[in-house]
Amino acid sequence: MASDGDKSDDAIVQNRPISTILLIIAMQTEALPLVNKFQLTEDLDSVFPKGVPWIRYHGVYKDLNINLIWPGKDLALGVDSVGTVSAALVTYASIQALKPDLIINAGTAGGFKAKGAGISDVFLASECAFHDRRIPIPVFDMYGVGLRQAFSTPNLVKELNPKVGKLSTGDSLDMSTQDEASITANEASIKDMEGAAVAYVADLLKVPVIFVKAVTDIVDGEKPTAEEFLQNLAAVSAALDQAITQVLDFINGKCLSEL
């Protein structure tokens, strides 16, 4: 049970204007349009441990201090450091270093046409869960799924009218038969490779988080996932850019309790 002091502190946070935003974005192609849009500057004196590839871009947009974190390129292979491990690490390190008021995990995702998703649709995730952590032991099974709620933003949803759905996260771009069964059990409209990991760390450290995802590929469609993803990545990143701008415009000057 929370003490009266804890409740009071929580009320102060909820009713304090949002100032510092942490944007977690997995891929350079997704990040750079926003870096350019908001004229963010790369942090050359890194707040992160020496040797890691993680990159922070920062700047001010209206009344918001924006910190965009991209996990960078894998040091050995030179590709984007996608997936749950990098996402969890950069989220933890960024919260510790930057003390954000709100986290936005933005990025692309696969969508399910059976749940009404189409290419370039923008979703606000209502909750996140994993679909590839299968532990068939009582209670451990629930831990593996790792279901967590996104921060509730009824006014933002009413104002911007994005599609709202559940997000399922796993470390593979494709979808195995076992993954498909878990995704169905999660009732997911979209799937990604980072969201539930970000949600885990945000919940652990008690920082509110929302998830803005733009659909690059239709998982239950006719085209191969990898081909459709690469074909649509640049165009869908532009749709993501527009959506994040709208979200930041709405957040500006508001408290968490007003979202």
Side-chain angles (χ1 to χ4, degrees):
M1 180 181 292
S3 69
D4 290 342
D6 291 338
K7 292 177 182 176
S8 176
D9 289 345
D10 186 58
I12 290 170
V13 170
Q14 289 279 334
N15 293 297
R16 184 179 64 207
I18 297 166
S19 174
T20 301
I21 300 289
L22 175 60
L23 272 164
I24 303 288
I25 301 184
M27 299 189 72
Q28 188 176 41
T29 304
E30 300 165 340
L32 288 182
L34 290 167
V35 170
N36 295 329
K37 176 73 171 284
F38 299 119
Q39 299 181 316
L40 304 180
T41 303
E42 183 175 344
D43 187 1
L44 300 179
D45 184 19
S46 180
V47 298
F48 299 128
K50 184 178 180 180
V52 300
W54 313 335
I55 295 175
R56 170 188 175 230
Y57 297 97
H58 60 98
V60 175
Y61 178 66
K62 298 186 175 179
D63 295 327
L64 300 171
N65 296 309
I66 306 296
N67 297 276
L68 187 156
I69 310 300
W70 167 51
K73 300 281 188 179
D74 180 82
L75 295 174
L77 300 173
V79 296
D80 287 291
S81 299
V82 300
T84 59
V85 174
S86 288
L89 284 168
V90 299
T91 301
Y92 176 82
S94 298
I95 292 172
Q96 294 295 96
L98 303 169
K99 312 298 185 194
D101 298 310
L102 178 69
I103 299 170
I104 303 174
N105 176 218
T108 56
F112 293 88
K113 65 180 181 182
K115 291 286 189 177
I119 300 297
S120 292
D121 282 351
V122 174
F123 276 80
L124 196 67
S126 55
E127 60 185 46
C128 306
F130 293 97
H131 57 253
D132 60 355
R133 302 201 315 180
R134 292 176 288 275
I135 312 174
I137 302 170
V139 186
F140 277 99
D141 54 357
M142 296 170 62
Y143 169 79
V145 172
L147 177 65
R148 284 176 175 81
Q149 303 294 320
F151 185 73
S152 179
T153 56
N155 294 325
L156 188 152
V157 171
K158 183 177 179 181
E159 178 73 19
L160 301 185
N161 196 32
K163 291 189 174 182
V164 177
K166 298 177 182 180
L167 171 64
S168 197
T169 296
D171 272 307
S172 297
L173 182 64
D174 65 0
M175 182 175 68
S176 69
T177 303
Q178 287 177 305
D179 286 349
E180 184 176 9
S182 296
I183 290 168
T184 300
N186 289 343
E187 300 180 330
S189 298
I190 47 176
K191 68 180 280 284
D192 79 342
M193 297 174 66
E194 289 84 25
V198 175
Y200 170 77
V201 179
D203 182 50
L204 201 64
L205 300 180
K206 305 307 176 193
V207 182
V209 59
I210 64 174
F211 302 85
V212 182
K213 303 287 178 173
V215 175
T216 47
D217 54 280
I218 302 302
V219 185
D220 52 349
E222 304 302 321
K223 294 183 179 180
T225 295
E227 176 185 318
E228 192 171 27
F229 170 77
L230 292 172
Q231 177 184 331
N232 294 320
L233 179 59
V236 173
S237 293
L240 181 67
D241 171 4
Q242 181 180 1
I244 293 299
T245 303
Q246 292 174 336
V247 169
L248 292 177
D249 284 339
F250 179 82
I251 288 172
N252 184 62
K254 291 184 174 62
C255 308
L256 289 170
S257 59
E258 295 175 308
L259 299 186

